[in-house]
Amino acid sequence: MDLGIAGKRALVCASSKGLGRGCAEALAEAGVALVLNARGAEQLERTAQEIRDAYGVEVETVAADVTTPEGQQAVIAAAGAVDILVNNAGGPPPGHWTDWERADFIAALDANMLTPIALIKALVPGMMDRGWGRVVNITSQSVKSPIPQLGLSNAARAGLTGYVAGTARQVAPSGVVMNNLLPGSHDTDRIDALDGGIAEKTGRSLDAVREEKFAAIPARRYGTPAEFGATCAFLCSQHAGFIVGQNILLDGGIGNQTM
Ligand code: NAP
Protein backbone atom coordinates (compact mmCIF):
# COMPACT_ATOMS: atom_id res chain seq x y z
CA MET A 1 0.00 0.00 0.00
CA ASP A 2 1.28 3.49 -0.85
CA LEU A 3 0.98 5.48 2.36
CA GLY A 4 0.97 8.73 0.37
CA ILE A 5 3.46 10.54 2.62
CA ALA A 6 6.67 10.41 0.55
CA GLY A 7 8.41 13.79 0.83
CA LYS A 8 6.86 14.64 4.22
CA ARG A 9 9.08 15.44 7.21
CA ALA A 10 8.83 13.81 10.66
CA LEU A 11 10.27 14.33 14.12
CA VAL A 12 10.53 10.98 15.90
CA CYS A 13 11.54 11.41 19.54
CA ALA A 14 13.51 8.78 21.47
CA SER A 15 14.24 6.83 18.32
CA SER A 16 17.77 5.39 18.32
CA LYS A 17 16.39 2.02 19.51
CA GLY A 18 13.22 0.11 20.26
CA LEU A 19 9.73 1.28 19.36
CA GLY A 20 10.83 4.79 18.34
CA ARG A 21 13.30 3.31 15.90
CA GLY A 22 10.60 0.97 14.57
CA CYS A 23 8.44 4.03 13.82
CA ALA A 24 11.36 5.88 12.22
CA GLU A 25 12.20 2.95 9.94
CA ALA A 26 8.61 2.50 8.77
CA LEU A 27 8.28 6.22 8.03
CA ALA A 28 11.62 6.18 6.18
CA GLU A 29 10.39 3.22 4.11
CA ALA A 30 7.39 5.38 3.16
CA GLY A 31 9.77 8.10 1.91
CA VAL A 32 9.57 10.47 4.90
CA ALA A 33 12.58 12.64 5.82
CA LEU A 34 13.45 12.28 9.50
CA VAL A 35 14.71 14.13 12.53
CA LEU A 36 15.78 11.47 15.03
CA ASN A 37 16.47 12.03 18.72
CA ALA A 38 18.03 10.18 21.66
CA ARG A 39 20.40 11.07 24.51
CA GLY A 40 23.26 8.80 23.43
CA ALA A 41 24.92 10.33 20.35
CA GLU A 42 26.85 7.25 19.26
CA GLN A 43 23.87 4.87 18.88
CA LEU A 44 21.80 7.72 17.44
CA GLU A 45 24.34 8.35 14.66
CA ARG A 46 24.61 4.61 13.97
CA THR A 47 20.83 4.31 13.63
CA ALA A 48 20.62 7.43 11.43
CA GLN A 49 23.28 6.08 9.05
CA GLU A 50 21.63 2.64 8.87
CA ILE A 51 18.31 4.30 7.96
CA ARG A 52 19.92 6.58 5.33
CA ASP A 53 21.66 3.55 3.80
CA ALA A 54 18.54 1.37 3.82
CA TYR A 55 15.91 3.86 2.62
CA GLY A 56 17.77 6.78 0.99
CA VAL A 57 15.90 9.46 2.94
CA GLU A 58 17.37 12.53 4.66
CA VAL A 59 18.00 11.91 8.36
CA GLU A 60 19.03 14.62 10.83
CA THR A 61 19.88 13.87 14.45
CA VAL A 62 19.49 15.72 17.74
CA ALA A 63 21.37 14.17 20.66
CA ALA A 64 19.45 15.53 23.67
CA ASP A 65 17.27 14.56 26.60
CA VAL A 66 13.82 15.33 25.21
CA THR A 67 12.33 15.49 28.72
CA THR A 68 14.27 18.70 29.51
CA PRO A 69 13.31 22.20 28.31
CA GLU A 70 16.70 22.50 26.55
CA GLY A 71 16.22 19.15 24.81
CA GLN A 72 12.74 20.16 23.71
CA GLN A 73 14.03 23.46 22.30
CA ALA A 74 16.73 21.57 20.37
CA VAL A 75 14.33 19.07 18.76
CA ILE A 76 11.76 21.80 18.02
CA ALA A 77 14.43 23.91 16.30
CA ALA A 78 15.63 20.95 14.22
CA ALA A 79 12.09 19.87 13.35
CA GLY A 80 11.17 23.20 11.75
CA ALA A 81 8.07 22.97 9.56
CA VAL A 82 7.51 19.32 10.34
CA ASP A 83 4.44 17.41 9.08
CA ILE A 84 4.57 14.44 11.45
CA LEU A 85 5.38 14.25 15.18
CA VAL A 86 5.97 10.95 16.97
CA ASN A 87 6.17 11.53 20.72
CA ASN A 88 8.19 9.05 22.74
CA ALA A 89 10.56 8.91 25.72
CA GLY A 90 11.87 6.29 28.12
CA GLY A 91 9.37 4.84 30.59
CA PRO A 92 9.42 5.43 34.37
CA PRO A 93 10.96 2.77 36.65
CA PRO A 94 8.80 0.05 38.26
CA GLY A 95 8.21 -0.04 42.00
CA HIS A 96 5.64 -0.29 44.79
CA TRP A 97 2.91 2.28 45.42
CA THR A 98 4.53 3.24 48.73
CA ASP A 99 7.90 3.97 47.05
CA TRP A 100 7.07 7.09 45.11
CA GLU A 101 7.43 10.64 46.39
CA ARG A 102 6.36 13.90 44.76
CA ALA A 103 9.67 14.23 42.89
CA ASP A 104 9.20 10.78 41.31
CA PHE A 105 5.74 11.76 40.07
CA ILE A 106 7.03 15.08 38.74
CA ALA A 107 9.80 13.26 36.79
CA ALA A 108 7.29 10.78 35.32
CA LEU A 109 4.83 13.54 34.42
CA ASP A 110 7.63 15.56 32.82
CA ALA A 111 8.81 12.64 30.69
CA ASN A 112 5.57 10.96 29.68
CA MET A 113 2.94 13.72 29.84
CA LEU A 114 4.37 17.25 29.80
CA THR A 115 7.08 16.58 27.19
CA PRO A 116 4.66 15.34 24.51
CA ILE A 117 2.30 18.21 25.39
CA ALA A 118 5.14 20.75 24.98
CA LEU A 119 6.03 19.34 21.55
CA ILE A 120 2.39 19.26 20.47
CA LYS A 121 1.99 22.91 21.52
CA ALA A 122 5.15 23.91 19.64
CA LEU A 123 4.66 21.98 16.39
CA VAL A 124 0.93 21.47 15.82
CA PRO A 125 0.08 25.16 15.18
CA GLY A 126 2.34 25.09 12.09
CA MET A 127 0.68 21.87 10.89
CA MET A 128 -2.74 23.53 11.33
CA ASP A 129 -1.60 26.59 9.36
CA ARG A 130 -0.44 24.29 6.55
CA GLY A 131 -3.68 22.26 6.74
CA TRP A 132 -2.12 18.83 7.24
CA GLY A 133 -0.42 17.02 10.11
CA ARG A 134 -0.12 13.76 12.01
CA VAL A 135 0.74 13.20 15.68
CA VAL A 136 1.28 9.76 17.21
CA ASN A 137 1.97 9.52 20.93
CA ILE A 138 3.58 6.29 22.12
CA THR A 139 1.90 5.54 25.46
CA SER A 140 1.26 2.05 26.89
CA GLN A 141 -1.23 -0.78 27.29
CA SER A 142 -1.30 0.43 30.90
CA VAL A 143 -3.74 3.13 29.76
CA LYS A 144 -6.37 0.40 29.30
CA SER A 145 -5.03 -2.26 31.69
CA PRO A 146 -2.92 -0.57 34.39
CA ILE A 147 0.17 -2.53 35.43
CA PRO A 148 0.43 -2.50 39.26
CA GLN A 149 4.22 -2.11 39.51
CA LEU A 150 4.25 0.68 36.89
CA GLY A 151 2.20 3.18 38.90
CA LEU A 152 4.27 6.17 37.75
CA SER A 153 3.70 5.19 34.11
CA ASN A 154 -0.02 4.48 34.71
CA ALA A 155 -0.46 7.95 36.19
CA ALA A 156 1.50 9.95 33.60
CA ARG A 157 0.06 8.13 30.57
CA ALA A 158 -3.50 8.57 31.86
CA GLY A 159 -2.87 12.33 32.07
CA LEU A 160 -1.57 12.50 28.49
CA THR A 161 -4.47 10.37 27.26
CA GLY A 162 -6.99 12.79 28.73
CA TYR A 163 -5.21 15.78 27.18
CA VAL A 164 -5.01 14.15 23.74
CA ALA A 165 -8.69 13.16 23.82
CA GLY A 166 -9.72 16.80 23.93
CA THR A 167 -6.93 18.26 21.82
CA ALA A 168 -7.30 15.77 18.95
CA ARG A 169 -10.87 16.93 18.45
CA GLN A 170 -9.86 20.59 18.50
CA VAL A 171 -7.14 20.25 15.85
CA ALA A 172 -8.90 17.78 13.52
CA PRO A 173 -10.89 20.53 11.71
CA SER A 174 -7.53 21.93 10.53
CA GLY A 175 -6.41 18.63 9.00
CA VAL A 176 -4.24 17.50 11.91
CA VAL A 177 -4.89 13.95 13.05
CA MET A 178 -3.69 12.95 16.52
CA ASN A 179 -3.81 9.46 18.06
CA ASN A 180 -2.13 7.35 20.72
CA LEU A 181 -0.43 4.03 20.08
CA LEU A 182 -0.45 1.68 23.08
CA PRO A 183 2.28 -0.96 23.15
CA GLY A 184 1.83 -4.16 25.07
CA SER A 185 5.01 -6.19 25.56
CA HIS A 186 7.43 -5.64 22.68
CA ASP A 187 10.90 -7.06 22.17
CA THR A 188 13.11 -4.09 23.09
CA ASP A 189 15.77 -3.19 25.65
CA ARG A 190 13.03 -1.81 27.91
CA ILE A 191 11.24 -5.18 28.20
CA ASP A 192 14.59 -6.95 28.69
CA ALA A 193 15.28 -4.64 31.64
CA LEU A 194 11.82 -5.21 33.15
CA ASP A 195 12.02 -8.99 32.65
CA GLY A 196 15.59 -8.98 34.00
CA GLY A 197 14.33 -7.26 37.16
CA ILE A 198 11.66 -9.96 37.65
CA ALA A 199 14.24 -12.74 37.04
CA GLU A 200 16.58 -11.25 39.63
CA LYS A 201 13.84 -10.76 42.20
CA THR A 202 12.40 -14.27 41.79
CA GLY A 203 15.65 -16.21 41.22
CA ARG A 204 14.44 -17.54 37.84
CA SER A 205 16.16 -17.37 34.45
CA LEU A 206 15.27 -14.63 31.96
CA ASP A 207 14.02 -17.33 29.57
CA ALA A 208 11.71 -18.78 32.24
CA VAL A 209 10.25 -15.31 32.92
CA ARG A 210 9.69 -14.69 29.21
CA GLU A 211 8.11 -18.11 28.61
CA GLU A 212 5.65 -17.47 31.43
CA LYS A 213 4.78 -14.07 29.96
CA PHE A 214 4.41 -15.49 26.42
CA ALA A 215 1.96 -18.10 27.78
CA ALA A 216 -0.34 -15.31 29.02
CA ILE A 217 -0.39 -13.50 25.64
CA PRO A 218 -2.86 -14.99 23.11
CA ALA A 219 -0.32 -14.34 20.30
CA ARG A 220 2.20 -16.35 22.45
CA ARG A 221 5.06 -13.91 21.83
CA TYR A 222 6.14 -10.31 22.22
CA GLY A 223 5.48 -7.78 19.48
CA THR A 224 8.29 -6.49 17.29
CA PRO A 225 9.41 -2.89 16.75
CA ALA A 226 8.78 -3.42 13.00
CA GLU A 227 5.12 -4.34 13.57
CA PHE A 228 4.72 -1.39 15.90
CA GLY A 229 6.40 0.94 13.40
CA ALA A 230 4.16 -0.22 10.55
CA THR A 231 1.07 0.70 12.59
CA CYS A 232 2.60 4.07 13.44
CA ALA A 233 3.35 4.78 9.77
CA PHE A 234 -0.24 3.89 8.85
CA LEU A 235 -1.53 6.36 11.47
CA CYS A 236 0.72 8.97 9.85
CA SER A 237 -0.49 8.11 6.35
CA GLN A 238 -3.00 9.77 4.02
CA HIS A 239 -5.36 6.87 4.78
CA ALA A 240 -5.68 7.70 8.48
CA GLY A 241 -7.46 11.03 8.17
CA PHE A 242 -10.69 9.73 9.74
CA ILE A 243 -8.97 8.12 12.77
CA VAL A 244 -9.15 10.89 15.38
CA GLY A 245 -8.24 10.78 19.08
CA GLN A 246 -8.06 6.99 19.31
CA ASN A 247 -6.08 4.74 21.65
CA ILE A 248 -4.85 1.88 19.50
CA LEU A 249 -3.67 -1.16 21.40
CA LEU A 250 -0.95 -3.52 20.11
CA ASP A 251 -0.78 -6.16 22.81
CA GLY A 252 -1.10 -9.60 21.20
CA GLY A 253 -4.58 -9.89 22.76
CA ILE A 254 -3.58 -9.94 26.42
CA GLY A 255 -6.01 -7.17 27.34
CA ASN A 256 -9.39 -8.92 27.54
CA GLN A 257 -11.66 -6.01 26.73
CA THR A 258 -13.93 -4.78 23.96
CA MET A 259 -13.07 -1.03 24.09
P1 NAP B 1 13.95 1.22 24.65
O1 NAP B 1 14.12 0.01 23.82
O2 NAP B 1 14.63 1.31 25.96
O3 NAP B 1 14.35 2.48 23.72
C1 NAP B 1 14.22 3.76 24.24
C2 NAP B 1 14.72 4.76 23.19
O4 NAP B 1 14.41 6.05 23.68
C3 NAP B 1 16.23 4.73 23.00
O5 NAP B 1 16.52 5.15 21.70
C4 NAP B 1 16.71 5.77 24.02
O6 NAP B 1 18.00 6.26 23.68
C5 NAP B 1 15.61 6.82 23.85
N1 NAP B 1 15.38 7.64 25.05
C6 NAP B 1 15.07 7.20 26.29
N2 NAP B 1 14.92 8.26 27.11
C7 NAP B 1 15.11 9.37 26.37
C8 NAP B 1 15.09 10.76 26.65
N3 NAP B 1 14.84 11.19 27.89
N4 NAP B 1 15.33 11.63 25.65
C9 NAP B 1 15.58 11.19 24.39
N5 NAP B 1 15.62 9.88 24.06
C10 NAP B 1 15.39 8.99 25.04
O7 NAP B 1 12.39 1.50 24.99
P2 NAP B 1 11.08 1.00 24.20
O8 NAP B 1 10.74 -0.39 24.62
O9 NAP B 1 11.22 1.32 22.77
O10 NAP B 1 9.97 1.93 24.88
C11 NAP B 1 9.56 3.16 24.33
C12 NAP B 1 8.39 3.67 25.18
O11 NAP B 1 7.31 2.74 25.10
C13 NAP B 1 8.73 3.82 26.66
O12 NAP B 1 8.09 4.96 27.19
C14 NAP B 1 8.15 2.57 27.28
O13 NAP B 1 7.81 2.74 28.64
C15 NAP B 1 6.91 2.38 26.41
N6 NAP B 1 6.44 0.98 26.44
C16 NAP B 1 7.23 -0.01 25.99
C17 NAP B 1 6.77 -1.31 26.05
C18 NAP B 1 7.61 -2.49 25.58
O14 NAP B 1 7.20 -3.63 25.77
N7 NAP B 1 8.75 -2.29 24.96
C19 NAP B 1 5.48 -1.59 26.55
C20 NAP B 1 4.71 -0.53 26.99
C21 NAP B 1 5.20 0.76 26.93
P3 NAP B 1 18.96 6.90 24.82
O15 NAP B 1 18.93 5.95 25.98
O16 NAP B 1 20.29 7.02 24.16
O17 NAP B 1 18.37 8.23 25.15
Side-chain angles (χ1 to χ4, degrees):
M1 183 192 292
D2 178 1
L3 297 184
I5 48 176
K8 301 275 189 200
R9 180 176 167 82
L11 167 62
V12 187
C13 300
S15 52
S16 66
K17 292 191 288 186
L19 303 179
R21 177 174 178 158
C23 296
E25 290 210 37
L27 288 168
E29 192 176 359
V32 174
L34 299 174
V35 178
L36 301 186
N37 153 256
R39 291 164 303 181
E42 209 174 302
Q43 177 62 44
L44 180 64
E45 289 310 324
R46 208 168 23 245
T47 298
Q49 195 53 48
E50 285 167 9
I51 292 179
R52 285 183 202 111
D53 292 345
Y55 305 106
V57 294
E58 249 179 58
V59 184
E60 293 167 49
T61 57
V62 181
D65 182 342
V66 76
T67 68
T68 63
E70 305 74 39
Q72 288 156 23
Q73 282 316 310
V75 294
I76 290 164
V82 85
D83 307 292
I84 295 167
L85 166 63
V86 180
N87 273 315
N88 186 30
H96 188 259
W97 64 274
T98 53
D99 294 345
W100 303 309
E101 303 300 337
R102 185 170 193 279
D104 302 305
F105 281 101
I106 296 296
L109 293 174
D110 263 340
N112 299 115
M113 177 183 170
L114 299 176
T115 294
I117 290 174
L119 297 186
I120 286 167
K121 285 184 68 182
L123 297 173
V124 167
M127 297 178 194
M128 293 170 76
D129 288 346
R130 294 185 292 278
W132 196 95
R134 298 287 186 262
V135 180
V136 173
N137 304 295
I138 299 180
T139 64
S140 172
Q141 67 179 353
S142 68
V143 167
K144 287 182 188 270
S145 308
I147 301 166
Q149 66 275 21
L150 290 178
L152 293 173
S153 171
N154 298 338
R157 316 266 193 208
L160 177 64
T161 303
Y163 172 84
V164 169
T167 306
R169 288 161 175 95
Q170 290 177 306
V171 302
S174 301
V176 179
V177 167
M178 188 181 301
N179 290 289
N180 301 321
L181 205 43
L182 284 54
S185 295
H186 281 71
D187 223 341
T188 68
D189 288 0
R190 162 90 173 162
I191 203 90
D192 281 349
L194 291 171
D195 289 352
I198 296 170
E200 206 178 297
K201 222 168 158 182
T202 58
R204 287 180 297 157
S205 70
L206 186 61
D207 279 350
V209 170
R210 285 169 69 100
E211 284 309 320
E212 187 180 276
K213 288 179 71 179
F214 289 173
I217 300 171
R220 296 287 184 266
R221 63 176 177 85
Y222 288 162
T224 68
E227 289 170 314
F228 190 86
T231 310
C232 176
F234 182 79
L235 286 176
C236 296
S237 77
Q238 296 293 359
H239 311 296
F242 210 53
I243 305 175
V244 172
Q246 298 302 301
N247 291 287
I248 294 164
L249 185 62
L250 282 85
D251 72 346
I254 194 168
N256 191 7
Q257 65 236 341
T258 52
M259 303 288 280

